[in-house]
Amino acid sequence: MRQALLLLLLPQLLLQLQLLKAEETPQGHLEEFGKQGPNLGIDQVDGFIPPQEFINEYVRKNKPLLFKGAAKLSPAFNKWTDEYLSSMVPPRPAGDIFIEHSKKENRSQGYNFVHFKKFLEIYNTSNIYMVSDVPEYLLSDLLLPFPLQCRLFIRGGLDTHVVWFSSGGTSSVIHHDAYENINCLYRGRKKLVFLNTTKVDVTKRPEFSGLEFHIAEMETGDCLYIPLFWIHQVRSFENNLAVNIWWPPRTEYKLGECMPQYSTKLNFNRVYFKTIENNIRGDVDNIRLVLKAILPKDDRTEASLMKILSGGNEALVANPEFASAVSSIFKALDLNMDGELSDEELGRKLTRKDFRPIYKAVAAYNIIVYRMHETAGNGPEADRLPKLFRTSNSDESVFAPHRTWTQPEPPGPEEEEDEMPTDDWQPPQAEPEKSKDEL
């Protein structure tokens, strides 16, 4: 009788056990990303390794790598104090940077530009977070990491660079990047939690429970390779300043065209970052469209440009600073130096050595004109002031409609070319290897 009763109750007992097991709290439930499974480390080396080893052993194998102390080789490591950064900043709009308003990443939040000096004054007591291209005036302080010192990367294989700067306590969303990435840390600490999706199919395991995580603890002066498509979250601690480089995935690398030793001549100013350069090229193309629209077709001389930009204001024409800025724009545009701007000069596709001087001349002009508008405010003189040329390095706080030339409609889009720079710059020769004491 007792045995029959047990057999009768056994299915119900088994069901209760299953229900109890189902109610057990999964590992890492409601805890931060990375607590849902065992934590493993990643490979690390002292300093940088040569490009061939980096590409073959890490990029092609899709493995992260921590370069201990490698960022200390860049001049920025010792130079980039707040005081130094502030001393380098030009006036608006050339000195503007892009910021987020929350240290906890939210991709629907608002963004805007502020002057870098203003950021440096307030970031330690606010939640603002600089996420911006490395400013032009700081590029020479950063050396291209040795693993990327190959002709392919130097001449257009890299996409962009970004500064990540805050008072600490930032946290990214859990995400992956469709780009390869090297991040170098100049202040503070970072913790990166990785989930390697090349080994685990997370579409079949969305709960993450029991998966293996890889942890990278970055200290001041470290660099980190973040492989393509690895899911990760970034957390920063203390006053935090980092720069990363992104580049698109490739199936082929020409490793025979890499530097045999680390060159300290290869700073960011000597490297062609494709997206950065295309943005500058786009600004220059828009400026030329404006000039083509406002200049009389039968009179595109420097005198005509001065008359248009000054609005016929004799005081402006007599202002040496303003006159010099207008003259610089004209000379940069007048590629054949014949004293007249042709349709070709205002319309053809420009090489880097052609559009860079135009961009520099317009940036100097915009600084002068914006200062005039700031001084005049909303007074009666404002209507008689020259206008700015819109560029992508600031927003409506600078380029308000009443003080900015209207952009004409551009012509139909041209097919995008994967063009390498056409200037004659060559990588510097390898330097003698330095001892550890010299470094």
Side-chain angles (χ1 to χ4, degrees):
M1 180 71 176
R2 184 177 300 173
Q3 185 177 7
L5 182 60
L6 286 172
L7 288 172
L8 181 65
L9 295 174
L10 184 58
Q12 296 182 41
L13 291 172
L14 290 174
L15 178 61
Q16 290 295 323
L17 287 172
Q18 289 177 335
L19 290 172
L20 287 172
K21 185 177 180 180
E23 291 175 359
E24 288 179 4
T25 303
Q27 180 179 351
H29 180 61
L30 296 182
E31 294 188 59
E32 65 183 18
F33 182 65
K35 298 292 188 181
Q36 294 75 26
N39 285 187
L40 307 176
I42 65 168
D43 289 358
Q44 66 179 52
V45 293
D46 289 330
F48 286 128
I49 58 176
Q52 294 85 352
E53 182 182 356
F54 173 66
I55 297 298
N56 288 329
E57 298 300 319
Y58 292 94
V59 175
R60 285 181 170 148
K61 294 181 179 179
N62 201 237
K63 292 170 55 180
L65 177 63
L66 184 62
F67 304 97
K68 294 297 294 180
K72 296 178 181 179
L73 299 171
S74 273
F77 183 76
N78 292 314
K79 293 173 73 173
W80 279 14
T81 63
D82 284 2
E83 293 73 22
Y84 170 81
L85 295 174
S86 182
S87 72
M88 295 294 290
V89 183
R92 298 193 83 177
D96 281 9
I97 59 162
F98 194 65
I99 64 165
E100 298 179 357
H101 290 274
S102 173
K103 295 179 181 179
K104 307 299 181 185
E105 185 180 10
N106 176 352
R107 296 189 175 183
S108 64
Q109 69 171 298
Y111 310 90
N112 68 282
F113 288 87
V114 299
H115 193 235
F116 195 12
K117 275 193 175 184
K118 181 66 174 177
F119 171 87
L120 291 167
E121 291 170 3
I122 65 175
Y123 81 100
N124 274 312
T125 56
S126 72
N127 283 324
I128 60 173
Y129 187 13
M130 176 180 176
V131 183
S132 194
D133 299 342
V134 179
E136 289 269 319
Y137 45 88
L138 297 175
L139 291 175
S140 61
D141 293 339
L142 293 163
L143 298 182
L144 186 67
F146 184 30
L148 302 180
Q149 290 193 356
C150 304
R151 187 176 188 275
L152 164 70
F153 293 124
I154 296 165
R155 295 178 62 80
L158 300 177
D159 189 76
T160 191
H161 45 64
V162 177
V163 177
W164 308 83
F165 190 5
S166 75
S167 58
T170 65
S171 178
S172 76
V173 296
I174 300 168
H175 68 288
H176 72 267
D177 298 315
Y179 286 84
E180 307 282 12
N181 181 358
I182 287 182
N183 184 297
C184 290
L185 184 61
Y186 295 93
R187 295 187 200 174
R189 297 180 295 112
K190 286 188 185 293
K191 180 177 181 178
L192 285 89
V193 181
F194 290 105
L195 178 63
N196 183 4
T197 59
T198 64
K199 291 183 175 61
V200 179
D201 186 352
V202 293
T203 62
K204 296 178 180 178
R205 298 288 303 278
E207 72 281 5
F208 292 160
S209 181
L211 300 182
E212 292 183 348
F213 293 83
H214 296 260
I215 307 299
E217 299 276 2
M218 295 181 72
E219 298 176 333
T220 303
D222 293 346
C223 294
L224 175 67
Y225 166 56
I226 303 172
L228 176 77
F229 292 138
W230 275 52
I231 290 177
H232 60 281
Q233 184 181 51
V234 187
R235 304 167 197 152
S236 72
F237 308 93
E238 303 156 4
N239 189 296
N240 212 271
L241 173 55
V243 174
N244 83 292
I245 298 172
W246 272 312
W247 71 96
R250 306 186 70 92
T251 56
E252 186 178 342
Y253 292 89
K254 296 180 179 179
L255 299 181
E257 298 180 344
C258 297
M259 300 293 286
Q261 297 176 5
Y262 189 32
S263 172
T264 56
K265 294 181 180 179
L266 270 173
N267 63 53
F268 278 27
N269 251 334
R270 308 188 72 176
V271 178
Y272 189 98
F273 289 88
K274 187 174 181 181
T275 293
I276 302 290
E277 297 297 328
N278 284 346
N279 288 341
I280 293 173
R281 184 199 299 272
D283 284 345
V284 170
D285 287 346
N286 289 333
I287 289 162
R288 291 190 300 160
L289 283 174
V290 169
L291 291 171
K292 195 171 183 180
I294 64 177
L295 284 171
K297 189 173 179 62
D298 59 350
D299 185 6
R300 293 175 177 168
T301 60
E302 183 174 335
S304 178
L305 180 63
M306 176 65 74
K307 182 179 179 181
I308 295 292
L309 296 186
S310 67
N313 186 331
E314 292 299 325
L316 283 174
V317 175
N319 181 321
E321 186 181 36
F322 180 79
S324 176
V326 174
S327 180
S328 294
I329 292 175
F330 183 86
K331 287 180 171 61
L333 289 161
D334 187 19
L335 300 175
N336 63 6
M337 297 181 290
D338 68 347
E340 187 92 20
L341 300 182
S342 65
D343 283 344
E344 183 182 7
E345 287 169 326
L346 293 178
R348 74 175 176 85
K349 188 170 184 178
L350 300 175
T351 64
R352 186 178 193 247
K353 66 178 181 180
D354 292 332
F355 69 71
R356 273 283 181 171
I358 298 171
Y359 183 80
K360 183 178 179 181
V362 170
Y365 167 90
N366 275 349
I367 287 173
I368 295 166
V369 173
Y370 180 74
R371 185 175 67 235
M372 292 178 179
H373 281 276
E374 285 292 280
T375 301
N378 295 321
E381 285 296 312
D383 292 338
R384 301 184 67 241
L385 293 177
K387 291 185 177 182
L388 296 151
F389 290 103
R390 183 182 294 275
T391 54
S392 57
N393 64 341
S394 195
D395 55 19
E396 295 297 315
S397 61
V398 168
F399 300 116
H402 70 280
R403 59 187 179 206
T404 307
W405 287 106
T406 302
Q407 295 286 127
E409 287 295 323
E414 297 180 5
E415 185 176 346
E416 180 68 21
E417 298 179 28
D418 189 9
E419 179 187 44
M420 300 292 275
T422 56
D423 58 12
D424 58 359
W425 184 86
Q426 295 294 324
Q429 298 298 311
E431 298 175 17
E433 187 173 4
K434 294 183 178 180
S435 68
K436 289 185 178 180
D437 290 339
E438 287 176 293
L439 294 176

